[in-house]
Amino acid sequence: MQIFDLATADLDFIAEVEARSHQNVKNCYQCGNCTAGCPYNFAYDYSVSQIMRLIQTGQKEAVLKSRSLWLCGSCQSCTTRCPNNIDVATIMDVCRHMAREQGYATERNVKLFSDAFLHSVEKHGRAYELGLMTEYMTRSGRVFTDVDLAPTVLMRGKLPFKPHPIQGREQVTRIFERFRKGGINE
Amino acid sequence: MNKIAYYPGCSGQGTSEEYDRSSRAICKALGIDLVDIPDWSCCGSTPAHTVNHVLSAALSARNLALVEGMGLDTVTTPCPSCLTNLRTAAHKMENPEFRAKVNALLDVPCTKTIEAQSVLQILTENVDMTLIKSRVVKPLTGIKIACYYGCIMNRPPELMRFDHHENPMAMDNIMTALGAEVVPYPLKVECCGASFGIARGDIVARLSGKLLDAGRRLGADAFVTACPLCQMNLDMRQGQINDALHENFKIPVFYYTQLLGYALGLDRADLGFEKLCVDPRLALGRIKQPAQAS
Ligand code: SF4
Ligand code: SF4
């Protein structure tokens, strides 16, 4: 059993998670329903109800360093089944935002994939699957990712070789630029 | 019926092109008037909402503003991931403060509340099942199907407000109406591993493997799905799953729109069976020919 010294509770952290998620983490009574339904639990370091407990006790480091945040599939099972109507999936999301902002990335390849996806959108206005795979493979050093699928996918014409540029792609680029300037926390 | 704006989503132009094509074809056949959103952009999918909620909403809201510009108030998409993003953005922007933050990122502000619904919802709620039944020319008699909805088509229920969040029936009802035998599939809303196929293939193998295994135990000849990511994990990655789990699954995974189109006798070219990775003939061959060919 892990014992928390409440003197180490980071109260600002608790307040920030609550403000950014619009949820009241005190409502969690640790029934474990969220964990019971979480399909990713086998891969987590802390189960989702443990993450809730860590937030309640202000254990910022443990939460932001956890791999679970990056492995959550946003499947909404926890949110749907929480008897206290806590939007747990949004809390996981918000903690991941904070982990990102503060430079934690305990599942590096998950982060790299998200980054590659968003770069593609920023550049082309739409996700260009072949391009984002190339960026992901270059940055992760995993050049053999999915090469076994190449014949199947190419034969079936599932991956266009060129992006579909849209007229409004600069508008999309500007969304990202304004976002980076804006310092928006939500 | 009134015109509905149509948002295909990025995968509809690549890995799930057959879903886009067959969705359009069945809507046309059943009298649903889809109008493409001119110059639509990506909704940001999962990566955007894991980075920031305002950024995510803005990427969706650019498209909602385009719908507003078309003079329409409803948009439909085949993809549950796009749907979640569009719906979440529309819902959160009911709060004027949030809307202002989103509009500050956009060139053209989004001022109205646009309703986003899946093509499955539009079909279920606007097309009479007796009409579908009456139009069936090739009944799916003889085939056993597991209907897999994926995790976010119906969840969370307060947001999605469609069908049942633990036991959805929309696809079950359509497949039954087409004459197929639907198996009582218990993992309808379990997650397939979502977009972790690339970064953590081991997770997808485990979660999607469990889904395929349950279908096989129930004797399903095929799956139907309504989600490009689910379809890709179960179908395109079935070989990888077999390698990882030392299995030998060989179960075709259709989009429900493909089988619906097939039963309605639509042009094969609109259904895109040739895009599927696991050979669909394994399942289509089960369909009994009508006793008397007309
Ligand atoms: S289901 Fe809700 S109340 Fe129960 S442990 Fe999870 S967050 Fe807490
Ligand atoms: S949303 Fe995340 S934490 Fe919640 S059940 Fe799904 S995978 Fe687990």
Side-chain angles (χ1 to χ4, degrees), chain B residues 149 153-155 157 162-170 189:
Chain B
Y149 294 75
M153 177 74 100
N154 310 90
R155 296 196 304 211
F162 166 55
D163 210 344
H164 195 274
H165 54 277
E166 297 289 1
N167 186 24
M169 287 299 288
V189 296

Side-chain angles (χ1 to χ4, degrees), chain A residues 20-22 37-40 42-43 67 70-81 85 87 90 93-94 96-98 100-101 107 109-111 113-115 117-118 121 125-129 132-133 136 142 145-149 152-153 155-160 164-172 174-176 178-180 182 184-186, chain B residues 10-11 13-18 37-55 58-59 62 66 84 92 98 101 103-108 151-152 154-158 165-166 189-203 206-207 210 231-232 235-237 239-240 243 255 274-279:
Chain A
R20 292 174 66 163
S21 65
H22 307 281
C38 178
Y40 292 81
F42 75 94
R67 305 176 89 83
W70 296 91
L71 298 177
C72 162
S74 303
C75 79
Q76 306 293 335
S77 169
C78 50
T79 294
T80 303
R81 294 173 187 169
N85 291 319
D87 186 347
T90 290
D93 235 12
V94 158
R96 188 162 27 189
H97 301 167
M98 291 166 71
R100 236 177 201 281
E101 290 158 10
E107 281 284 335
N109 288 347
V110 173
K111 178 176 182 292
F113 179 75
S114 288
D115 291 348
F117 187 96
L118 291 174
V121 177
R126 290 184 191 161
Y128 166 46
E129 292 167 316
L132 81 90
M133 277 302 290
Y136 171 76
R142 290 183 54 188
T145 306
D146 280 347
V147 278
D148 55 320
L149 293 177
T152 320
V153 166
M155 216 168 62
R156 286 170 177 76
K158 274 176 167 283
L159 280 186
H164 298 264
I166 61 163
Q167 311 239 306
R169 66 179 185 277
E170 278 137 32
Q171 295 180 355
V172 177
R174 282 195 288 273
I175 293 177
F176 283 91
R178 290 180 190 127
F179 166 69
R180 278 193 288 264
I184 302 161
N185 280 353
E186 180 122 6
Chain B
C10 299
S11 62
Q13 302 198 318
T15 40
S16 72
E17 202 238 317
E18 67 273 35
I37 303 175
D39 213 41
W40 59 271
S41 50
C42 176
C43 69
S45 193
T46 310
H49 78 71
T50 62
V51 169
N52 184 281
H53 288 148
V54 177
L55 173 68
L59 291 171
R62 176 178 180 273
L66 290 172
T84 299
K92 284 193 167 174
F98 190 86
K101 285 187 201 167
N103 280 340
L105 301 185
L106 299 177
D107 283 9
V108 182
C151 52
I152 51 172
N154 310 90
R155 296 196 304 211
E158 300 77 23
H165 54 277
E166 297 289 1
V189 296
E190 282 292 310
C191 186
C192 64
S195 55
F196 289 113
I198 288 157
R200 288 291 305 262
D202 57 321
I203 291 183
R206 171 145 169 171
L207 296 183
K210 191 165 78 175
Q231 199 279 341
M232 191 158 77
D235 177 41
M236 189 177 86
R237 296 192 184 281
Q240 292 179 335
D243 289 347
Y255 289 105
E274 74 285 355
K275 299 264 179 187
L276 301 177
C277 296
V278 177
D279 192 342

Side-chain angles (χ1 to χ4, degrees), chain B residues 1-253:
Chain B
M1 186 195 289
N2 292 336
K3 292 181 189 309
I4 299 173
Y6 180 69
Y7 182 82
C10 299
S11 62
Q13 302 198 318
T15 40
S16 72
E17 202 238 317
E18 67 273 35
Y19 191 23
D20 174 55
R21 238 195 284 160
S22 52
S23 297
R24 290 173 190 271
I26 53 152
C27 284
K28 190 163 173 219
L30 295 170
I32 298 168
D33 197 357
L34 303 180
V35 192
D36 276 82
I37 303 175
D39 213 41
W40 59 271
S41 50
C42 176
C43 69
S45 193
T46 310
H49 78 71
T50 62
V51 169
N52 184 281
H53 288 148
V54 177
L55 173 68
S56 171
L59 291 171
S60 286
R62 176 178 180 273
N63 297 293
L64 297 172
L66 290 172
V67 175
E68 189 178 332
M70 295 161 78
L72 298 178
D73 54 14
T74 306
V75 57
T76 188
T77 176
C79 172
S81 179
C82 301
L83 177 70
T84 299
N85 279 339
L86 295 169
R87 268 193 95 87
T88 304
H91 173 70
K92 284 193 167 174
M93 284 192 299
E94 282 169 17
N95 173 337
E97 239 175 84
F98 190 86
R99 186 181 289 271
K101 285 187 201 167
V102 170
N103 280 340
L105 301 185
L106 299 177
D107 283 9
V108 182
C110 174
T111 62
K112 288 218 174 75
T113 297
I114 305 290
E115 170 78 6
Q117 296 187 340
S118 63
V119 172
L120 184 61
Q121 180 171 9
I122 299 275
L123 270 181
T124 311
E125 293 175 359
N126 296 276
V127 182
D128 195 339
M129 203 63 87
T130 50
L131 171 79
I132 296 185
K133 267 191 188 160
S134 72
R135 298 279 292 280
V136 172
V137 293
K138 285 195 232 162
L140 304 181
T141 328
I143 188 174
K144 274 176 136 180
I145 290 180
C147 296
Y148 172 56
Y149 294 75
C151 52
I152 51 172
M153 177 74 100
N154 310 90
R155 296 196 304 211
E158 300 77 23
L159 176 71
M160 301 317 275
R161 282 182 272 127
F162 166 55
D163 210 344
H164 195 274
H165 54 277
E166 297 289 1
N167 186 24
M169 287 299 288
M171 286 196 288
D172 293 56
N173 293 338
I174 293 174
M175 290 300 134
T176 308
L178 303 178
E181 182 186 336
V182 173
V183 302
Y185 188 64
L187 303 180
K188 281 177 175 180
V189 296
E190 282 292 310
C191 186
C192 64
S195 55
F196 289 113
I198 288 157
R200 288 291 305 262
D202 57 321
I203 291 183
V204 169
R206 171 145 169 171
L207 296 183
S208 285
K210 191 165 78 175
L211 296 171
L212 290 167
D213 181 57
R216 182 173 62 185
R217 282 165 194 266
L218 289 161
D221 301 311
F223 277 78
V224 291
T225 69
C227 170
L229 213 51
C230 301
Q231 199 279 341
M232 191 158 77
N233 283 340
L234 293 177
D235 177 41
M236 189 177 86
R237 296 192 184 281
Q238 207 172 108
Q240 292 179 335
I241 295 168
N242 283 340
D243 289 347
L245 306 180
H246 310 291
E247 275 289 358
N248 58 350
F249 295 116
K250 218 172 183 192
I251 312 177
V253 184

